[in-house]
Amino acid sequence: MIERKNEVEKRKVTTEDRLLHGGDYNPDQWLSYPDVLKQDVEFMKLAHANTFSIGMFAWAALEPEEGVYDFEWLDEVIERIHSIGGRLILATPSGARPAWMSQKYPEVLRVDSYRRKQLHGARHNHCYSSSYYRKKTQEMNTKLAERYGDHPALLMWHPSNEYGGECHCELCQANFRTWLKEKYNHSLDELNHSWWGPFWSHTITDWEQIESPSPIGENAVHGMNLDWRRFVSHMTIDFYKNEIEPLRKITPDIPISANFMSDNPEFVPFTGLDYSQFAKEVDVISWDAYPAWHNDWEDTPTLAARTAFLNDHFYAMKDQPFILMESTPSAVNWHDVNKAKRPGMHLLSALQMHAHGSDSNLYFQWRKSRGSSEKFHGAVIDHDQSTENRVFKEVAELGKIMENISDKVTGYRRQADVAILFDVESNWALDDAQGFGLKTKQYGRTLQKHYQAFWEEDIAVDVISKEHDFSKYTLLVVPMLYLMSEETAEKLQTFVKNGGTLVTSYISGIVDESDLTHLGGWLKPLKETFGMEPLETDTYYPSDRNTLDFNGKEYEVKDYATIIEVNEANVLGTYTEDFYKGTPALTENPYGKGKAYYIGARAEHAFHADFYGKLIRDLKLEPALSVEHERGVSVQGREAEGLRTVFIMNFTESEQPISILETVKDVQTGETMEGKRTLQPYEVLIVEKEIGN
């Protein structure tokens, strides 16, 4: 096991020594209501709010006609917030442009995959290739940076909002061809080989024959689809870099973020862009979290584990605290059913963010819009404009708690000995594959199910990309890595050879980075590392079932079962049904100084709990604090400077008995405690303990 470092320095992501509390504020919607704007400042104080992101959709108010600017209203708002000691996350307005621009410069409008020019409307419908839009965003951002760059309230830049989408216009087609020429060394032979051009006579003989994927054209060349997704990420990041250029130049000491997302409503890692590449260009990771609490299809602990997974995904992107840029204090307006958070859930869900690495709890939105599509989206201030309703009171209560714990959390780090690998390119390729079960691949959900076994044991996990340094981890879990290059396979082999423990699963190592299948079966480094080889993947109908026998217990198998040929590996589990009854389903192979495990089937949660529970014990992996509890209680911690702050959270609707097996101190009351306690439904206990050298 890798020795845990007990002296961990803080890594603050902003200049603040306090947790950030506040959120998206849209004063441009209320300029004709001066009393409302004055009221906002008073309510900010009552809510114990200290930070506001403003300006993300304010272009029409900032530049009502081309070349005519109005910043006076923004000046006034900024001064009001500054007067109460508040800080600003100043957004650039490129996420939604004004109507005059679409009318006068139609090149800024996106073209969809059917090659239809979009009308003005909605948001995020601009072309990243448009030279005019790039010029205008730089002009606007230059003016913002020059006017507010030295303002003492400015904390961070927030370019645009939730980057995403794609454009198929002629400008983007030309850029796509240029990108492909560079990728394939101006060789159509290389491109045709990677795209397997001879299939269906789709060999490209001229670069101008290449069009982006379309439902009315080419959409089944998997290598091209994969390259298009890579190109969309490239163009989005390139647009972002163009947008922040004046911010970097004029305000080099102000950090810059970009609010990332999950894939909603599934609430799995976002697949619209390659965030592992985007993260390299931002100073601070921020993300927008909207779990559907109290839903019909999963219990609260399961959703809490999936939320934790996403937090650990964003934390690991830069191995530092992140910012929760958007959340809701109650309901949203875009789920199929927009249910309000039950009393106590707002506090619990907010503190879970801090437990997993956030230095903020910011909301969308501060005040509910009066009209249009988000008038019923949750907010701190409702249409009643009252501080006496339940939601406002819970927000204010959280604000006070955040003030009390700020010095025990802000900048504190998370330490993990376990990592789970998520690869968005593999996700793209697997989703595109015309095989297996079209509805049961569920790559993101599968990773979350593996993660849940560690969450239930209070073991910290980093959710990493294939570019991360594997050597810092004791255990690396790599389920369903369908797309795997030889480089990645060799990197995994080296990890095991040097003493790491590796777990992979069915549907791994099938295709290369061009989405071409590996010839000759499994890659040689994988065969050597795992001491076995997958021969065939059986895909089940929803009614099909099998069982896996492991350690004398049988576990249900559904969706996928791999038929395995064992070479040197030890067989730990076997199938109990079908034509492969009695054959290996779970293997273990000592290799070098480490071990490699292969899980051949998609098994029920009880299997993950028992299998990973055994690995946790064998590898002597330890939680942040020793607490005995039942399922639904989560214990997660952050540490710095010889102290560990631990959040003990009850994600159930019932009282939960716990037993704290170490001496700790309640962060809020200063009380020293050890032994048995009872957590109320949704209750959070925040404690600290010293950690020695």
Side-chain angles (χ1 to χ4, degrees), residues 128-129 134 163 165-166 171-172 174-183 226-242 272-278 281 424-425 428:
Y128 290 137
S129 295
R134 287 178 171 237
Y163 287 91
E166 57 191 48
L171 295 173
C172 289
N175 283 333
F176 182 40
R177 294 176 193 120
T178 298
W179 183 86
L180 290 170
K181 288 176 184 177
E182 293 175 358
K183 175 179 172 61
L226 186 57
D227 276 343
W228 172 252
R229 286 182 169 271
R230 288 167 172 151
F231 167 75
V232 169
S233 278
H234 163 78
M235 281 303 300
T236 306
I237 295 168
D238 189 68
F239 180 87
Y240 172 83
K241 291 164 68 174
N242 179 82
L273 298 171
D274 187 346
Y275 278 164
S276 70
Q277 300 306 309
F278 206 150
E281 307 301 330
V424 72
E425 291 192 346
W428 293 338

Side-chain angles (χ1 to χ4, degrees), residues 63-99:
E63 191 181 5
E65 57 183 282
E66 186 173 14
V68 177
Y69 295 92
D70 180 6
F71 294 103
E72 292 183 2
W73 65 268
L74 186 55
D75 295 343
E76 192 172 330
V77 169
I78 289 175
E79 290 306 323
R80 283 201 181 108
I81 293 174
H82 181 49
S83 72
I84 61 170
R87 301 300 297 274
L88 298 169
I89 299 175
L90 189 54
T92 67
S94 65
R97 67 189 172 277

Side-chain angles (χ1 to χ4, degrees), residues 449-450 452-454 456-457 548 550-551 553-558 586 599 602-614 617 631:
K449 288 176 180 178
H450 284 256
Q452 187 172 343
F454 296 98
E456 291 179 351
E457 295 286 343
L548 185 164
F550 168 59
N551 268 358
K553 292 175 64 176
E554 290 189 6
Y555 303 90
E556 183 182 38
V557 169
K558 60 180 182 178
L586 173 67
I599 302 172
R602 177 171 287 173
E604 63 180 304
H605 175 69
F607 168 77
H608 289 155
D610 290 346
F611 172 71
Y612 286 119
K614 183 177 185 305
R617 294 188 296 274
R631 180 181 181 272

Side-chain angles (χ1 to χ4, degrees), residues 299-301 348 455 627-635 648-660 675-685:
D299 62 13
T300 302
L348 170 61
W455 183 84
V627 181
E628 291 181 349
H629 60 78
E630 298 299 317
R631 180 181 181 272
V633 173
S634 174
V635 181
I648 308 173
M649 300 165 282
N650 180 10
F651 286 98
T652 77
E653 288 70 32
S654 59
E655 291 184 350
Q656 290 291 334
I658 64 171
S659 183
I660 303 173
K676 296 182 178 180
R677 292 180 67 94
T678 299
L679 293 179
Q680 297 303 308
Y682 300 158
E683 184 181 357
V684 182
L685 184 64

Side-chain angles (χ1 to χ4, degrees), residues 38-262:
K38 291 178 182 178
Q39 183 188 65
D40 280 331
V41 178
E42 295 305 313
F43 283 10
M44 289 172 183
K45 291 187 288 186
L46 293 173
H48 297 266
N50 57 40
T51 304
F52 298 89
S53 47
I54 61 175
M56 63 286 302
F57 298 123
W59 200 324
L62 294 170
E63 191 181 5
E65 57 183 282
E66 186 173 14
V68 177
Y69 295 92
D70 180 6
F71 294 103
E72 292 183 2
W73 65 268
L74 186 55
D75 295 343
E76 192 172 330
V77 169
I78 289 175
E79 290 306 323
R80 283 201 181 108
I81 293 174
H82 181 49
S83 72
I84 61 170
R87 301 300 297 274
L88 298 169
I89 299 175
L90 189 54
T92 67
S94 65
R97 67 189 172 277
W100 61 257
M101 190 185 298
S102 301
Q103 180 184 40
K104 191 173 181 180
Y105 301 98
E107 77 166 47
V108 303
L109 296 167
R110 282 184 182 170
V111 172
D112 70 12
S113 60
Y114 287 89
R115 306 314 193 248
R116 299 174 299 196
K117 173 80 80 171
Q118 302 299 284
L119 302 176
H120 176 81
R123 56 181 184 151
H124 296 296
N125 59 358
H126 46 272
C127 172
Y128 290 137
S129 295
S130 167
S131 59
Y132 176 80
Y133 202 61
R134 287 178 171 237
K135 178 174 74 74
K136 284 301 294 183
T137 54
Q138 282 206 350
E139 286 179 4
M140 174 61 75
N141 297 353
T142 297
K143 290 184 180 297
L144 289 170
E146 289 175 344
R147 193 175 188 95
Y148 303 113
D150 292 329
H151 198 288
L154 180 61
L155 180 65
M156 187 166 65
W157 289 109
H158 178 332
S160 195
N161 184 71
E162 296 181 336
Y163 287 91
E166 57 191 48
C167 177
H168 296 258
C169 74
E170 284 306 315
L171 295 173
C172 289
Q173 300 293 348
N175 283 333
F176 182 40
R177 294 176 193 120
T178 298
W179 183 86
L180 290 170
K181 288 176 184 177
E182 293 175 358
K183 175 179 172 61
Y184 291 107
N185 302 308
H186 292 262
S187 170
L188 285 173
D189 288 341
E190 286 189 25
L191 179 140
N192 281 311
H193 181 268
S194 292
W195 290 5
W196 211 241
F199 181 78
W200 285 354
S201 194
H202 285 171
T203 300
I204 300 296
T205 57
D206 189 298
W207 294 101
E208 295 302 311
Q209 296 167 2
I210 297 172
E211 289 267 358
S212 60
S214 171
I216 60 172
E218 186 56 80
N219 57 34
V221 175
H222 294 166
M224 182 182 75
N225 294 347
L226 186 57
D227 276 343
W228 172 252
R229 286 182 169 271
R230 288 167 172 151
F231 167 75
V232 169
S233 278
H234 163 78
M235 281 303 300
T236 306
I237 295 168
D238 189 68
F239 180 87
Y240 172 83
K241 291 164 68 174
N242 179 82
E243 183 165 0
I244 68 173
E245 187 176 314
L247 307 180
R248 289 268 189 237
K249 181 178 180 180
I250 300 169
T251 60
D253 297 326
I254 302 296
I256 305 176
S257 188
N259 53 332
F260 292 168
M261 301 176 280
S262 63

Side-chain angles (χ1 to χ4, degrees), residues 374-662:
E374 290 175 330
K375 62 180 177 288
F376 296 124
H377 192 291
V380 179
I381 301 176
D382 210 327
H383 297 135
D384 61 9
Q385 302 193 83
S386 172
T387 62
E388 296 303 312
N389 61 58
R390 178 179 68 89
V391 171
F392 189 94
K393 288 180 178 179
E394 289 197 359
V395 167
E397 180 188 4
L398 173 64
K400 286 188 285 187
I401 292 174
M402 290 173 65
E403 289 173 352
N404 291 337
I405 68 172
S406 272
D407 63 337
K408 304 298 184 182
V409 178
T410 308
Y412 277 40
R413 306 284 299 283
R414 282 178 55 79
Q415 295 283 90
D417 295 323
V418 179
I420 293 179
L421 194 151
F422 167 74
D423 182 52
V424 72
E425 291 192 346
S426 187
N427 200 151
W428 293 338
L430 181 58
D431 282 351
D432 210 23
Q434 293 163 277
F436 310 108
L438 298 184
K439 294 183 179 180
T440 59
K441 296 170 188 173
Q442 300 179 344
Y443 176 58
R445 289 297 293 268
T446 299
L447 298 189
Q448 288 175 326
K449 288 176 180 178
H450 284 256
Y451 173 94
Q452 187 172 343
F454 296 98
W455 183 84
E456 291 179 351
E457 295 286 343
D458 304 323
I459 301 300
V461 176
D462 283 347
V463 181
I464 64 173
S465 76
K466 60 180 178 289
E467 293 185 356
H468 273 74
D469 177 11
F470 297 165
S471 67
K472 62 183 287 190
Y473 301 104
T474 302
L475 172 61
L476 179 58
V477 182
V478 189
M480 287 185 75
L481 192 61
Y482 169 75
L483 184 154
M484 189 186 302
S485 67
E486 291 197 25
E487 179 185 8
T488 298
E490 290 169 358
K491 188 176 177 182
L492 293 172
Q493 183 178 40
T494 299
F495 169 75
V496 178
K497 184 182 295 184
N498 291 340
T501 298
L502 174 65
V503 179
T504 195
S505 78
Y506 54 92
I507 313 182
S508 291
I510 308 297
V511 300
D512 68 8
E513 58 270 37
S514 296
D515 206 354
L516 298 176
T517 57
H518 293 294
L519 296 180
W522 231 22
L523 289 167
K524 182 181 177 182
L526 297 179
K527 294 178 185 178
E528 293 174 348
T529 304
F530 288 91
M532 45 72 62
E533 183 176 359
L535 299 180
E536 183 180 354
T537 300
D538 192 11
T539 302
Y540 291 177
Y541 282 103
S543 61
D544 291 335
R545 292 291 188 276
N546 202 333
T547 55
L548 185 164
D549 187 314
F550 168 59
N551 268 358
K553 292 175 64 176
E554 290 189 6
Y555 303 90
E556 183 182 38
V557 169
K558 60 180 182 178
D559 297 338
Y560 300 105
T562 305
I563 300 165
I564 294 169
E565 179 181 293
V566 167
N567 298 319
E568 295 85 14
N570 302 314
V571 177
L572 301 184
T574 57
Y575 296 109
T576 64
E577 302 290 340
D578 221 310
F579 69 91
Y580 37 90
K581 177 181 178 179
T583 66
L586 173 67
T587 63
E588 171 197 65
N589 190 52
Y591 182 79
K593 298 178 181 179
K595 287 184 179 180
Y597 295 84
Y598 185 89
I599 302 172
R602 177 171 287 173
E604 63 180 304
H605 175 69
F607 168 77
H608 289 155
D610 290 346
F611 172 71
Y612 286 119
K614 183 177 185 305
L615 285 187
I616 289 168
R617 294 188 296 274
D618 291 347
L619 297 172
K620 297 180 172 58
L621 302 175
E622 298 176 354
L625 180 69
S626 295
V627 181
E628 291 181 349
H629 60 78
E630 298 299 317
R631 180 181 181 272
V633 173
S634 174
V635 181
Q636 297 289 330
R638 297 171 65 173
E639 60 192 65
E641 302 171 346
L643 286 174
R644 183 175 298 150
T645 300
V646 181
F647 297 75
I648 308 173
M649 300 165 282
N650 180 10
F651 286 98
T652 77
E653 288 70 32
S654 59
E655 291 184 350
Q656 290 291 334
I658 64 171
S659 183
I660 303 173
L661 304 182
E662 304 176 60

Side-chain angles (χ1 to χ4, degrees), residues 285 287 311 314-315 320-324 353 356-360:
I285 298 294
W287 82 286
N311 278 321
F314 289 113
Y315 181 94
Q320 66 182 29
F322 58 89
I323 298 295
L324 177 63
M353 297 293 168
H356 283 268
S358 176
D359 277 355
S360 76

